[in-house]
Amino acid sequence: MIDRARLSAIYGRERADFVARHPASAAAYARSGHLFGRVPMTWMNKNAGDFPIYLDRALGSRVWDIDGLEYVDFALGDTGAMAGHSPAATVAAIQHRIADLGGITTMLPTEDAEWVGAELTRRFGLPRWSFSLTATDANRWAIRLVRALTGRPKILFNSYCYHGSVDESLIVVGPDGEGRSRPGNVGEPVPVTLTSRVAEFNDLDGLERQLAHGDVAAVLMEPALTNVGIVLPEPGFLEGVRELTHRYDVLLINDETHTFSAGPGGATRAWGLEPDILIIGKSIAGGVPMGAYGLSAEFADRALARSDLDLVDMGGVGGTLAGNPLSVAATRATLEHVLTDEAFAQMIDTATYFADGVQCVIDRYSLPWSLSQLGARAEYRFASPAPRNGTESAASADAELEDLIHLYLLNRGVCLTPFHNMALMSPVTTTADVDLHHGVFGAAIGELLGG
Ligand SMILES: Cc1ncc(COP(=O)(O)O)c(C=O)c1O
């Protein structure tokens, strides 16, 4: 249905426009020879133009690049900036902490930490919390704890999941239905099948086959996949996961780092889930590095009672900067004043407005695409019906088409998340911001299809 020659001609024109409009970013990129891959982090090369745009400033739902161009930002740091850029309450708390009180990192607890723990309990239900700086580390440390307490070696993941750069999670279902290393896995420390098992999302039979081996300590999953498009759980799937994990005496870890978009207590509260451990990160400190994991009281007590486990020094769980006063103050302010219950209601309404408008374009052109919404985020995939699992969703990728849409939007002042077609709404994202997207998106599809 898509004329590839037409697509590539439009993409060529958009690339030339992009280069012409960004001389300052082009020069900055050309000057960055001391950086690995010319960028501060290699994934910043994932962009649809010939180089990344360089940030000048960001506020609310907007970013500005060093060429002076303004964008509505639906990427929002791939969730890290879900609170909007530099929300006033978070900035005030940061300034108070570091400028008035002093103390960015001290090895001493602050009283904000208990407030944050109590608020996370109110939202997600888990009664004991520990902090990291990233969701990756929260996952890593939770994995160590569940191994230690169950005495079982393996963690089960869903195929094409993403939980950060966690060694154990880089596993996919191979053609024989068994696990194998994810393509591109960089320097795996040991073959991933020694540490992990894998099942497709929405596949309870596959999950049970793997759990029946009796060597799985925990299932670590997102309640909906969010990193290979949004793949929503089918009715009964999450209940089935909980039932099977109970039956095989396996712990359930829900990673809510992205599914937090489902509501103020993530999918856990929105859908009444009961994980044993919960992971969160990225957004809860308004963009300041912060991660956290929540534990049941029983699990936490059992871990603390194990005198053979070094939980205070070099046992493999923890980091010097974790729980620092700055991160904790920023988290308190963000949860208390920015990502509030009321804010979520509005973010979800805005995302519904976004999803409805995209669906109108899909319908107008009878595109064989599907759109999924998860609270404050929405995303379309180039497949209809919507993919049911990670493998199907990965197979529906169309890099050329995706790059064209991203660049067409970027050239007209709209940023989507670089890794997929995801749009996230902050508390200050407006329907006017969404209208801007829809106008450009409709024009891109219209031009592509010659309509
Ligand atoms: C579900 C999930 N968990 C964990 C992470 C890791 O977050 P970070 O890179 O901040 O450690 C991500 C990152 O995208 C994620 O999507």
Side-chain angles (χ1 to χ4, degrees):
M1 148 172 234
I2 302 239
D3 175 343
R4 293 285 148 173
R6 189 181 179 87
L7 188 159
S8 117
I10 302 171
Y11 186 51
R13 184 197 70 205
E14 293 298 318
R15 271 180 71 185
D17 278 1
F18 175 82
V19 171
R21 287 160 58 82
H22 294 95
S25 284
Y29 192 59
R31 277 196 305 268
S32 292
H34 290 93
L35 301 176
F36 181 32
R38 297 196 168 275
V39 279
M41 178 66 234
T42 46
W43 55 250
M44 290 184 189
N45 276 321
K46 172 76 184 149
N47 53 73
D50 291 21
F51 44 82
I53 56 170
Y54 279 63
L55 177 71
D56 177 28
R57 60 208 160 85
L59 190 66
S61 64
R62 306 279 161 148
V63 295
W64 290 264
D65 70 18
I66 59 172
D67 286 290
L69 301 171
E70 176 176 335
Y71 305 85
V72 175
D73 185 11
F74 290 105
L76 294 174
D78 194 14
T79 302
M82 185 162 83
H85 295 291
S86 295
T90 307
V91 171
I94 291 169
Q95 283 174 340
H96 181 58
R97 178 73 255 172
I98 70 179
D100 304 338
L101 299 173
I104 296 173
T105 202
T106 57
M107 297 185 90
L108 300 174
T110 55
E111 290 189 281
D112 285 336
E114 170 57 19
W115 189 97
V116 170
E119 175 63 7
L120 292 172
T121 298
R122 181 188 78 79
R123 291 177 182 235
F124 297 104
L126 282 302
R128 303 276 190 274
W129 291 86
S130 193
F131 303 144
S132 60
L133 289 185
T134 65
T136 299
D137 271 344
N139 277 317
R140 286 197 182 116
W141 301 343
I143 285 173
R144 280 182 170 265
L145 287 169
V146 298
R147 280 209 178 103
L149 265 71
T150 64
R152 293 183 184 176
K154 292 187 179 173
I155 309 297
L156 185 138
F157 296 91
N158 290 133
S159 201
Y160 285 94
C161 65
Y162 187 69
H163 297 282
S165 51
V166 173
D167 294 327
E168 292 87 343
S169 66
L170 298 175
I171 187 167
V172 292
V173 175
D176 60 355
E178 290 300 316
R180 62 173 180 178
S181 190
R182 185 170 179 144
N185 190 350
V186 182
E188 60 184 339
V190 294
V192 73
T193 47
L194 292 180
T195 60
S196 312
R197 291 192 173 277
V198 63
E200 294 287 5
F201 196 76
N202 279 325
D203 178 9
L204 291 173
D205 292 341
L207 175 63
E208 178 157 21
R209 264 198 311 279
Q210 296 297 327
L211 296 188
H213 289 278
D215 55 4
V216 172
V219 170
L220 199 172
M221 64 183 289
E222 292 186 284
L225 296 181
T226 66
N227 286 287
V228 60
I230 296 172
V231 180
L232 295 170
E234 291 176 345
F237 174 63
L238 296 176
E239 294 80 349
V241 170
R242 188 64 276 198
E243 197 275 311
L244 284 174
T245 47
H246 278 145
R247 194 183 323 153
Y248 288 91
D249 201 17
V250 168
L251 293 161
L252 176 61
I253 308 175
N254 276 358
D255 183 346
E256 289 264 26
T257 303
H258 279 183
T259 51
F260 187 30
S261 64
T268 294
R269 185 154 117 205
W271 300 341
L273 309 178
E274 292 182 346
D276 300 297
I277 297 177
L278 190 138
I279 307 295
I280 184 101
K282 287 200 183 185
S283 60
I284 55 172
V288 172
M290 179 70 172
Y293 56 97
L295 306 169
S296 69
E298 187 260 347
F299 185 93
D301 290 346
R302 272 205 295 140
L304 292 172
R306 283 275 298 270
S307 56
D308 60 319
L309 301 180
D310 179 357
L311 285 170
V312 292
D313 196 3
M314 299 193 190
V317 173
T320 317
L321 302 180
N324 70 75
L326 169 61
S327 295
V328 174
T331 306
R332 177 176 181 161
T334 304
L335 295 179
E336 191 170 4
H337 301 296
V338 189
L339 290 176
T340 58
D341 293 15
E342 302 72 42
F344 267 95
Q346 187 181 326
M347 292 152 69
I348 293 170
D349 282 351
T350 314
T352 303
Y353 185 70
F354 183 97
D356 289 348
V358 171
Q359 189 63 51
C360 276
V361 176
I362 292 176
D363 293 345
R364 187 183 323 143
Y365 294 99
S366 303
L367 293 167
W369 299 2
S370 50
L371 182 125
S372 303
Q373 183 182 348
L374 181 64
R377 75 174 61 216
E379 172 152 8
Y380 48 92
R381 297 298 284 172
F382 307 124
S384 180
R388 294 183 56 236
N389 61 45
T391 303
E392 280 180 23
S393 196
S396 76
D398 181 337
E400 284 178 353
L401 180 55
E402 195 164 301
D403 280 352
L404 171 68
I405 295 172
H406 280 239
L407 197 57
Y408 201 104
L409 288 165
L410 195 68
N411 281 343
R412 292 159 185 80
V414 178
C415 297
L416 277 195
T417 311
F419 295 87
H420 31 118
N421 305 313
M422 194 276 281
L424 180 64
M425 311 298 139
S426 75
V428 291
T429 305
T430 63
T431 53
D433 294 337
V434 174
D435 286 337
L436 176 65
H437 168 273
H438 289 347
V440 179
F441 179 68
I445 304 303
E447 185 178 352
L448 183 61
L449 299 181

Short mmCIF file of all heavy atoms in Angstrom, two decimals, residues 43 77-80 133-139 161-166 220-222 224 226-227 255-259 279-283 290 377 420, ligand 1:
data_model
loop_
_atom_site.label_atom_id
_atom_site.label_comp_id
_atom_site.label_asym_id
_atom_site.label_seq_id
_atom_site.Cartn_x
_atom_site.Cartn_y
_atom_site.Cartn_z
N TRP A 43 23.07 5.67 22.36
CA TRP A 43 21.71 5.61 21.80
C TRP A 43 21.23 6.97 21.29
O TRP A 43 20.23 7.04 20.57
CB TRP A 43 20.71 4.98 22.77
CG TRP A 43 20.59 5.58 24.15
CD1 TRP A 43 21.01 5.00 25.31
CD2 TRP A 43 20.01 6.84 24.53
NE1 TRP A 43 20.73 5.82 26.38
CE2 TRP A 43 20.12 6.95 25.93
CE3 TRP A 43 19.40 7.87 23.82
CZ2 TRP A 43 19.66 8.06 26.63
CZ3 TRP A 43 18.94 8.98 24.52
CH2 TRP A 43 19.07 9.07 25.91
N GLY A 77 11.75 12.60 27.12
CA GLY A 77 12.84 11.79 27.66
C GLY A 77 12.48 10.33 27.76
O GLY A 77 12.97 9.63 28.66
N ASP A 78 11.63 9.84 26.84
CA ASP A 78 11.15 8.46 26.90
C ASP A 78 10.71 8.12 28.33
O ASP A 78 11.04 7.08 28.88
CB ASP A 78 12.21 7.47 26.39
CG ASP A 78 11.59 6.09 26.12
OD1 ASP A 78 10.36 5.98 26.07
OD2 ASP A 78 12.36 5.13 25.96
N THR A 79 9.95 9.02 28.91
CA THR A 79 9.29 8.90 30.22
C THR A 79 10.02 9.63 31.34
O THR A 79 9.40 10.05 32.30
CB THR A 79 9.03 7.43 30.62
OG1 THR A 79 8.22 6.80 29.63
CG2 THR A 79 8.31 7.31 31.96
N GLY A 80 11.33 9.84 31.19
CA GLY A 80 12.07 10.53 32.26
C GLY A 80 11.51 11.90 32.56
O GLY A 80 11.55 12.37 33.70
N LEU A 133 19.41 4.80 41.55
CA LEU A 133 19.40 5.99 40.69
C LEU A 133 18.71 5.74 39.37
O LEU A 133 18.35 6.68 38.66
CB LEU A 133 20.83 6.49 40.43
CG LEU A 133 21.54 7.12 41.62
CD1 LEU A 133 22.89 7.67 41.18
CD2 LEU A 133 20.70 8.23 42.24
N THR A 134 18.58 4.48 39.00
CA THR A 134 17.95 4.15 37.72
C THR A 134 17.05 2.93 37.92
O THR A 134 17.23 2.15 38.86
CB THR A 134 18.99 3.77 36.64
OG1 THR A 134 19.65 2.57 37.06
CG2 THR A 134 19.99 4.88 36.39
N ALA A 135 16.12 2.80 36.98
CA ALA A 135 15.27 1.61 37.00
C ALA A 135 16.08 0.36 36.69
O ALA A 135 15.81 -0.73 37.20
CB ALA A 135 14.14 1.77 35.98
N THR A 136 17.11 0.52 35.85
CA THR A 136 17.99 -0.62 35.57
C THR A 136 18.55 -1.18 36.87
O THR A 136 18.50 -2.39 37.12
CB THR A 136 19.16 -0.19 34.65
OG1 THR A 136 18.63 0.28 33.42
CG2 THR A 136 20.12 -1.34 34.40
N ASP A 137 19.09 -0.30 37.70
CA ASP A 137 19.67 -0.78 38.95
C ASP A 137 18.61 -1.34 39.89
O ASP A 137 18.86 -2.33 40.60
CB ASP A 137 20.46 0.34 39.64
CG ASP A 137 21.91 0.37 39.17
OD1 ASP A 137 22.36 -0.63 38.57
OD2 ASP A 137 22.59 1.39 39.40
N ALA A 138 17.44 -0.73 39.92
CA ALA A 138 16.38 -1.28 40.77
C ALA A 138 16.07 -2.72 40.33
O ALA A 138 15.92 -3.62 41.17
CB ALA A 138 15.13 -0.40 40.69
N ASN A 139 16.02 -2.93 39.02
CA ASN A 139 15.80 -4.30 38.52
C ASN A 139 16.93 -5.23 38.92
O ASN A 139 16.71 -6.35 39.38
CB ASN A 139 15.68 -4.27 36.99
CG ASN A 139 14.28 -3.90 36.53
OD1 ASN A 139 13.29 -4.38 37.09
ND2 ASN A 139 14.19 -3.07 35.51
N CYS A 161 11.09 -7.87 25.69
CA CYS A 161 10.90 -6.92 26.80
C CYS A 161 12.07 -5.95 26.82
O CYS A 161 13.10 -6.18 26.18
CB CYS A 161 10.87 -7.67 28.12
SG CYS A 161 12.45 -8.47 28.51
N TYR A 162 11.94 -4.89 27.57
CA TYR A 162 13.10 -4.07 27.90
C TYR A 162 12.98 -3.65 29.35
O TYR A 162 11.94 -3.12 29.76
CB TYR A 162 13.22 -2.83 26.99
CG TYR A 162 14.51 -2.09 27.24
CD1 TYR A 162 15.73 -2.65 26.88
CD2 TYR A 162 14.52 -0.85 27.86
CE1 TYR A 162 16.94 -2.00 27.12
CE2 TYR A 162 15.73 -0.18 28.11
CZ TYR A 162 16.92 -0.76 27.73
OH TYR A 162 18.11 -0.11 27.99
N HIS A 163 14.02 -3.92 30.11
CA HIS A 163 14.03 -3.53 31.53
C HIS A 163 15.32 -2.78 31.85
O HIS A 163 15.78 -2.79 32.99
CB HIS A 163 13.88 -4.76 32.42
CG HIS A 163 12.58 -5.48 32.24
ND1 HIS A 163 11.39 -5.02 32.78
CD2 HIS A 163 12.27 -6.57 31.52
CE1 HIS A 163 10.41 -5.83 32.43
NE2 HIS A 163 10.90 -6.78 31.66
N GLY A 164 15.89 -2.11 30.83
CA GLY A 164 17.18 -1.47 31.01
C GLY A 164 18.28 -2.44 30.61
O GLY A 164 18.02 -3.54 30.08
N SER A 165 19.52 -2.04 30.88
CA SER A 165 20.65 -2.89 30.47
C SER A 165 20.92 -3.95 31.54
O SER A 165 21.98 -4.00 32.15
CB SER A 165 21.89 -2.03 30.22
OG SER A 165 22.12 -1.18 31.33
N VAL A 166 19.91 -4.78 31.75
CA VAL A 166 19.98 -5.86 32.75
C VAL A 166 20.40 -7.13 32.01
O VAL A 166 19.68 -7.59 31.11
CB VAL A 166 18.59 -6.06 33.41
CG1 VAL A 166 18.59 -7.28 34.31
CG2 VAL A 166 18.19 -4.80 34.17
N LEU A 220 9.83 -11.38 35.87
CA LEU A 220 10.01 -9.92 35.87
C LEU A 220 9.39 -9.41 34.58
O LEU A 220 9.85 -9.74 33.49
CB LEU A 220 11.50 -9.58 35.95
CG LEU A 220 11.89 -8.17 36.40
CD1 LEU A 220 13.39 -8.06 36.60
CD2 LEU A 220 11.40 -7.06 35.52
N MET A 221 8.33 -8.64 34.69
CA MET A 221 7.60 -8.23 33.49
C MET A 221 6.99 -6.84 33.64
O MET A 221 6.80 -6.35 34.75
CB MET A 221 6.48 -9.23 33.20
CG MET A 221 5.41 -9.28 34.28
SD MET A 221 4.13 -10.53 33.96
CE MET A 221 3.25 -9.78 32.58
N GLU A 222 6.69 -6.25 32.49
CA GLU A 222 5.83 -5.06 32.47
C GLU A 222 4.39 -5.55 32.37
O GLU A 222 4.11 -6.48 31.61
CB GLU A 222 6.12 -4.21 31.24
CG GLU A 222 7.46 -3.54 31.21
CD GLU A 222 7.55 -2.60 29.99
OE1 GLU A 222 7.71 -3.10 28.87
OE2 GLU A 222 7.42 -1.39 30.17
N ALA A 224 2.12 -4.22 30.73
CA ALA A 224 1.90 -4.13 29.28
C ALA A 224 3.28 -3.89 28.70
O ALA A 224 4.06 -3.13 29.28
CB ALA A 224 0.98 -2.97 28.94
N THR A 226 5.96 -2.06 26.66
CA THR A 226 5.96 -0.66 26.20
C THR A 226 7.16 -0.31 25.35
O THR A 226 7.26 0.81 24.87
CB THR A 226 5.96 0.32 27.39
OG1 THR A 226 7.21 0.17 28.09
CG2 THR A 226 4.80 0.10 28.33
N ASN A 227 8.09 -1.23 25.22
CA ASN A 227 9.33 -0.88 24.52
C ASN A 227 9.43 -1.48 23.13
O ASN A 227 10.45 -1.33 22.46
CB ASN A 227 10.54 -1.30 25.37
CG ASN A 227 10.73 -0.37 26.56
OD1 ASN A 227 11.16 0.75 26.40
ND2 ASN A 227 10.39 -0.83 27.75
N ASP A 255 7.56 -4.38 36.58
CA ASP A 255 8.37 -3.19 36.27
C ASP A 255 7.42 -2.12 35.73
O ASP A 255 6.94 -2.21 34.60
CB ASP A 255 9.44 -3.56 35.25
CG ASP A 255 10.37 -2.39 34.94
OD1 ASP A 255 10.03 -1.24 35.27
OD2 ASP A 255 11.43 -2.63 34.32
N GLU A 256 7.16 -1.12 36.53
CA GLU A 256 6.18 -0.07 36.19
C GLU A 256 6.86 1.21 35.69
O GLU A 256 6.23 2.28 35.67
CB GLU A 256 5.35 0.27 37.43
CG GLU A 256 4.37 -0.83 37.84
CD GLU A 256 2.96 -0.59 37.30
OE1 GLU A 256 2.81 0.08 36.25
OE2 GLU A 256 2.02 -1.07 37.95
N THR A 257 8.12 1.10 35.30
CA THR A 257 8.85 2.29 34.88
C THR A 257 8.12 3.06 33.78
O THR A 257 8.06 4.30 33.81
CB THR A 257 10.27 1.88 34.42
OG1 THR A 257 10.89 1.19 35.51
CG2 THR A 257 11.11 3.07 34.03
N HIS A 258 7.58 2.34 32.82
CA HIS A 258 6.81 3.00 31.74
C HIS A 258 5.31 2.88 31.95
O HIS A 258 4.56 3.80 31.61
CB HIS A 258 7.16 2.37 30.39
CG HIS A 258 8.43 2.89 29.78
ND1 HIS A 258 8.88 2.49 28.55
CD2 HIS A 258 9.34 3.79 30.24
CE1 HIS A 258 10.01 3.12 28.26
NE2 HIS A 258 10.32 3.90 29.28
N THR A 259 4.86 1.74 32.48
CA THR A 259 3.41 1.55 32.64
C THR A 259 2.84 2.45 33.73
O THR A 259 1.62 2.50 33.92
CB THR A 259 3.08 0.07 32.94
OG1 THR A 259 3.90 -0.38 34.02
CG2 THR A 259 3.34 -0.80 31.72
N ILE A 279 8.96 -2.28 40.51
CA ILE A 279 10.10 -1.45 40.09
C ILE A 279 9.55 -0.15 39.49
O ILE A 279 8.57 -0.16 38.73
CB ILE A 279 10.90 -2.16 38.97
CG1 ILE A 279 11.31 -3.57 39.38
CG2 ILE A 279 12.10 -1.30 38.53
CD1 ILE A 279 12.27 -3.67 40.52
N ILE A 280 10.19 0.96 39.82
CA ILE A 280 9.79 2.23 39.21
C ILE A 280 11.07 3.07 39.04
O ILE A 280 12.06 2.85 39.74
CB ILE A 280 8.71 2.95 40.05
CG1 ILE A 280 8.22 4.23 39.39
CG2 ILE A 280 9.17 3.26 41.45
CD1 ILE A 280 6.93 4.12 38.68
N GLY A 281 11.03 4.00 38.10
CA GLY A 281 12.21 4.85 37.92
C GLY A 281 11.90 5.94 36.93
O GLY A 281 10.73 6.24 36.68
N LYS A 282 12.94 6.52 36.38
CA LYS A 282 12.86 7.53 35.33
C LYS A 282 12.11 8.79 35.75
O LYS A 282 12.68 9.84 35.90
CB LYS A 282 12.20 6.95 34.07
CG LYS A 282 13.07 6.01 33.29
CD LYS A 282 12.56 5.89 31.87
CE LYS A 282 13.36 4.88 31.07
NZ LYS A 282 12.96 4.86 29.69
N SER A 283 10.78 8.70 35.87
CA SER A 283 9.96 9.92 35.91
C SER A 283 9.71 10.45 37.31
O SER A 283 9.34 11.61 37.46
CB SER A 283 8.60 9.62 35.29
OG SER A 283 7.97 8.59 36.02
N MET A 290 16.63 8.76 39.56
CA MET A 290 16.00 8.14 40.72
C MET A 290 15.32 6.85 40.27
O MET A 290 14.65 6.82 39.24
CB MET A 290 14.93 9.08 41.29
CG MET A 290 14.18 8.54 42.49
SD MET A 290 15.26 8.46 43.96
CE MET A 290 14.04 8.04 45.22
N ARG A 377 0.00 7.56 27.62
CA ARG A 377 0.81 7.36 26.40
C ARG A 377 0.00 6.64 25.34
O ARG A 377 -0.91 5.87 25.64
CB ARG A 377 2.09 6.58 26.70
CG ARG A 377 1.91 5.10 26.94
CD ARG A 377 3.26 4.39 27.09
NE ARG A 377 3.99 4.91 28.20
CZ ARG A 377 5.31 5.06 28.24
NH1 ARG A 377 6.06 4.69 27.23
NH2 ARG A 377 5.90 5.53 29.29
N HIS A 420 10.40 4.55 18.88
CA HIS A 420 9.15 4.02 18.36
C HIS A 420 8.17 5.16 18.16
O HIS A 420 8.55 6.32 18.26
CB HIS A 420 8.56 2.91 19.24
CG HIS A 420 8.86 3.01 20.70
ND1 HIS A 420 7.90 3.17 21.65
CD2 HIS A 420 10.04 2.98 21.39
CE1 HIS A 420 8.46 3.22 22.84
NE2 HIS A 420 9.75 3.12 22.73
C1 LIG B 1 10.26 -0.92 31.63
C2 LIG B 1 11.63 -0.35 31.80
N1 LIG B 1 12.36 -0.70 32.87
C3 LIG B 1 13.58 -0.20 33.07
C4 LIG B 1 14.13 0.69 32.19
C5 LIG B 1 15.49 1.23 32.44
O1 LIG B 1 15.47 2.56 32.79
P1 LIG B 1 16.86 3.32 32.95
O2 LIG B 1 17.49 3.31 31.59
O3 LIG B 1 16.49 4.68 33.40
O4 LIG B 1 17.66 2.56 33.93
C6 LIG B 1 13.42 1.09 31.07
C7 LIG B 1 13.99 2.03 30.10
O5 LIG B 1 13.44 2.30 29.05
C8 LIG B 1 12.13 0.55 30.86
O6 LIG B 1 11.40 0.89 29.81
#
